[in-house]
Amino acid sequence: MNGFVASEPLAKARSYEEHMEAFIEPKDRPVFHLSPRVGWMNDPNGFSYYDGEYHLFYQYSPYTITWAPMHWGHAVSKDLLSWKHLSCALAPDMPYEKHGGCFSGSAIELPDGRLLLMYTGAGENGKRKDGSPIEHQTQCLAVGDGVDFQKYEGNPVIDGSSLPEGSSTEQFRDPKIWREPDGTYRVVLASLGPDKSGQIVIYRSDDAFTWEFEKVLSRNCWRYGIMWECPDIFTLDGKDVLLVSPQDMLPHRHDFYSGNGTLCIVGFVDPETGMLMEESTSGIDHGTDFYATQTILSPDGRRIMVAWMQNWDAIAGSIPSTRWFGQMATPRELSVRDGRLYQWPIRELEGWRRNRVAHSDVAVGNEPIALEGVSGRVVDLLVNVRPEGDTYQEFILWFAQDKMFHSSIRYRPAHGTLEISRIHAGMRRAYVQHRKCDIPGAPAELSLRLVLDKYSAEVFVNDGVQALSMTLPTVLTADAITFACKGQVSIDVEKFDLVDPAEE
Ligand code: FRU
């Protein structure tokens, strides 16, 4: 950007990442999941299509592989799968970011062609009696050309003083901005409401720089965790959909589990009250690692969701000797059918499929079987399972497997549940290593899609009615895939290696 001068913290981060990324070998990274240029990554930020490319920013600490005052990392891609790292976009260099740095936010192209970033400044507002800082979160702007971003001199543009009385500005964050058809702007934000549980609010603006409080969109009322993070609201297939990431969830059957979760509310915004009327609620992803979703509308009209493929409670599993930590989930196309959210890996992934191997009508019984040509760790695997006879109780698929390690997917039609497990994947810490979810309709026939990329597994069930994601620490030589069942089934299997077409 003409005349742009990086602040000292930004210049330092940029030169550090440029120097240190050479110590990370591309072969040690996921193939098509975005990982940080160096250091630590959490939430996706500023997901946008700008100047002919997708831009994805992320919560970033270049110097550590644990969370530390937040910068914004930055990458671009033409297909959302093959990523190119750009320079660090934001560094904490302002008084209003003094406590935690530049927290999560979003991006939008302005009518004059510049890219606007809106993010939370995690500042400080005095001290408690015990000397600990009182965090003060405000909403801030930076404007740029897609590489360099100048923080707005009028920051913060939303300080929370017009929030409903009793709301918290210690917890007031994660702006997701959009433009209405009439050219005005809205931003959806999360805060703690007067009842000290999450509330989702909307602010409006004519020019994206001057903001006023518009309304409360939704209230948690202590139902799903406490604080709700990273809200996103959009209309899809005739419904209004709110995605949030609740903290401190209580488990509820298999749909929600304790810790940091994800929540999808499908309903409609009441034109009278402006509140989101809820028709159904469900978890978004039921695996061990999925949080902080953000969506955009792609130029061809698809609602695409990204997320951090990690879990705050699972970061104890990071390996001190590595130079990066954290990765994004495969971007997913969303749809709403019968009032439910469906997710499917972006269709661009199909363009990466190579070396097709197919087996039809394979009889599977109690003895595990392997199939010729079906193995690998960077793989797209499609499996259809049909019961044979009436003894069928459970179908099991093992992957990332050798003599010592394996992960698994288990479907129990009588219970209507599907479980993923990495208990034997080589985890060195004893946090949660398996998760279960209900499969709507509990059909006897099952269709699975398993997407593997070195250090992760993502499972999509029955056309995407459920999704489960988990990271894997398993050595890459553990690449067997085997099948078994309790009873008798017949399966069709289609397997592809996933290869970047640009690298052939
Ligand atoms: C969610 C979150 C956000 C916050 C960011 C800080 O994972 O806690 O609410 O903006 O991470 O890194």
Side-chain angles (χ1 to χ4, degrees):
M1 192 163 60
N2 270 350
F4 178 77
V5 181
S7 66
E8 201 195 314
L10 183 62
K12 184 175 155 213
R14 286 180 167 188
S15 88
Y16 183 84
E17 60 183 11
E18 208 168 295
H19 177 67
M20 294 306 287
E21 82 174 335
F23 295 94
I24 305 174
E25 295 218 41
K27 71 169 180 41
D28 294 331
R29 290 182 181 273
V31 177
F32 56 92
H33 291 82
L34 178 64
S35 54
R37 191 164 175 189
V38 315
W40 162 274
M41 159 193 277
N42 59 289
D43 313 357
N45 294 157
F47 187 25
S48 49
Y49 188 81
Y50 178 72
D51 210 9
E53 295 180 298
Y54 291 99
H55 287 246
L56 189 56
F57 302 80
Y58 50 91
Q59 291 283 279
Y60 180 40
S61 167
Y63 310 111
T64 56
I65 56 157
T66 50
W67 192 93
M70 283 289 107
H71 299 57
W72 273 35
H74 187 189
V76 287
S77 173
K78 294 247 187 254
D79 64 357
L80 291 165
L81 297 167
S82 176
W83 292 96
K84 181 175 153 222
H85 287 290
L86 296 186
S87 304
C88 178
L90 301 177
D93 49 19
M94 290 290 165
Y96 49 80
E97 299 152 357
K98 183 175 163 200
H99 188 248
C102 307
F103 274 17
S104 283
S106 51
I108 194 168
E109 184 175 346
L110 292 170
D112 65 10
R114 294 176 301 162
L115 188 64
L116 180 83
L117 309 183
M118 189 169 198
Y119 66 98
T120 299
E124 211 177 287
N125 190 6
K127 304 266 188 234
R128 292 202 168 72
K129 283 198 187 109
D130 66 4
S132 62
I134 302 172
E135 190 157 324
H136 181 58
Q137 302 185 340
T138 58
Q139 315 317 318
C140 304
L141 301 175
V143 191
D145 59 2
V147 177
D148 297 319
F149 297 88
Q150 190 75 55
K151 288 179 186 166
Y152 177 51
E153 67 277 9
N155 280 344
V157 291
I158 301 178
D159 66 3
S161 52
S162 56
L163 279 169
E165 208 180 323
S167 306
S168 163
T169 56
E170 266 195 83
Q171 309 249 23
F172 177 39
R173 58 182 176 271
D174 304 342
K176 171 77 195 304
I177 188 172
W178 75 96
R179 188 184 295 112
E180 287 286 322
D182 67 3
T184 60
Y185 296 85
R186 296 291 183 283
V187 63
V188 63
L189 281 152
S191 83
L192 276 187
D195 71 350
K196 306 276 178 277
S197 80
Q199 78 183 354
I200 301 301
V201 295
I202 293 192
Y203 282 67
R204 82 171 289 288
S205 171
D206 287 328
D207 61 1
F209 289 83
T210 306
W211 292 88
E212 61 189 15
F213 177 80
E214 186 173 78
K215 65 176 183 182
V216 174
L217 176 74
S218 179
R219 291 197 178 92
N220 179 5
C221 302
W222 289 94
R223 293 170 301 155
Y224 302 100
I226 303 178
M227 173 68 180
W228 285 356
E229 300 188 301
C230 303
D232 196 352
I233 173 95
F234 48 87
T235 302
L236 184 60
D237 299 325
K239 296 285 178 191
D240 292 320
V241 180
L242 174 67
L243 307 182
V244 293
S245 294
Q247 291 180 304
D248 306 299
M249 291 279 275
L250 285 175
H252 185 269
R253 259 192 72 75
H254 312 307
D255 214 359
F256 304 111
Y257 40 82
S258 47
N260 293 284
T262 52
L263 172 67
C264 170
I265 303 176
V266 177
F268 63 95
V269 176
D270 183 334
E272 302 249 303
T273 62
M275 296 281 295
L276 179 66
M277 307 308 288
E278 299 174 8
E279 292 179 334
S280 72
T281 55
S282 60
I284 302 173
D285 186 291
H286 300 270
T288 51
D289 299 291
F290 195 84
Y291 199 66
T293 56
Q294 190 167 98
T295 73
I296 55 163
L297 207 52
S298 65
D300 60 0
R302 291 174 286 162
R303 180 59 61 177
I304 298 180
M305 176 177 75
V306 288
W308 182 39
M309 190 161 49
Q310 218 9 284
N311 186 315
W312 285 107
D313 294 321
I315 56 184
S318 67
I319 297 162
S321 60
T322 53
R323 292 183 193 273
W324 62 272
F325 181 82
Q327 53 181 312
M328 296 297 168
T330 303
R332 299 172 185 181
E333 293 180 19
L334 302 183
S335 56
V336 176
R337 291 177 237 166
D338 304 325
R340 282 195 67 98
L341 186 74
Y342 279 67
Q343 305 164 57
W344 201 242
I346 44 158
R347 61 195 67 168
E348 284 82 345
L349 193 60
E350 284 154 41
W352 284 46
R353 288 174 170 174
R354 296 291 178 276
N355 310 329
R356 177 174 182 269
V357 175
H359 297 267
S360 305
D361 291 320
V362 180
V364 179
N366 293 357
E367 274 306 305
I369 59 161
L371 297 174
E372 172 95 43
V374 177
S375 63
R377 287 289 291 275
V378 187
V379 155
D380 199 351
L381 182 74
L382 304 156
V383 185
N384 281 311
V385 185
R386 288 179 300 276
E388 294 288 335
D390 51 14
T391 55
Y392 173 39
Q393 290 173 37
E394 181 179 46
F395 172 73
I396 313 162
L397 190 166
W398 289 279
F399 58 95
Q401 184 183 27
D402 64 6
K403 286 208 172 74
M404 190 153 171
F405 301 116
H406 61 258
S407 291
S408 63
I409 302 170
R410 284 168 193 266
Y411 180 54
R412 296 190 178 96
H415 298 109
T417 58
L418 184 125
E419 182 177 27
I420 53 164
S421 167
R422 61 177 178 196
I423 291 174
H424 301 288
M427 308 301 296
R428 292 175 191 272
R429 291 286 176 275
Y431 49 83
V432 174
Q433 313 296 13
H434 59 114
R435 294 250 192 249
K436 211 183 254 182
C437 68
D438 290 320
I439 301 303
E445 288 198 25
L446 176 76
S447 92
L448 285 178
R449 181 169 178 189
L450 171 64
V451 175
L452 297 177
D453 181 7
K454 289 189 179 173
Y455 307 110
S456 66
E458 290 163 279
V459 182
F460 300 87
V461 188
N462 293 346
D463 250 6
V465 69
Q466 294 292 42
L468 305 92
S469 305
M470 67 182 183
T471 58
L472 292 176
T474 319
V475 288
L476 297 179
T477 46
D479 65 353
I481 295 174
T482 53
F483 309 87
C485 88
K486 286 187 187 143
Q488 192 70 44
V489 294
S490 167
I491 64 173
D492 303 327
V493 177
E494 214 181 347
K495 177 239 145 180
F496 302 88
D497 296 323
L498 291 169
V499 178
D500 186 348
E503 300 209 337
E504 283 176 314

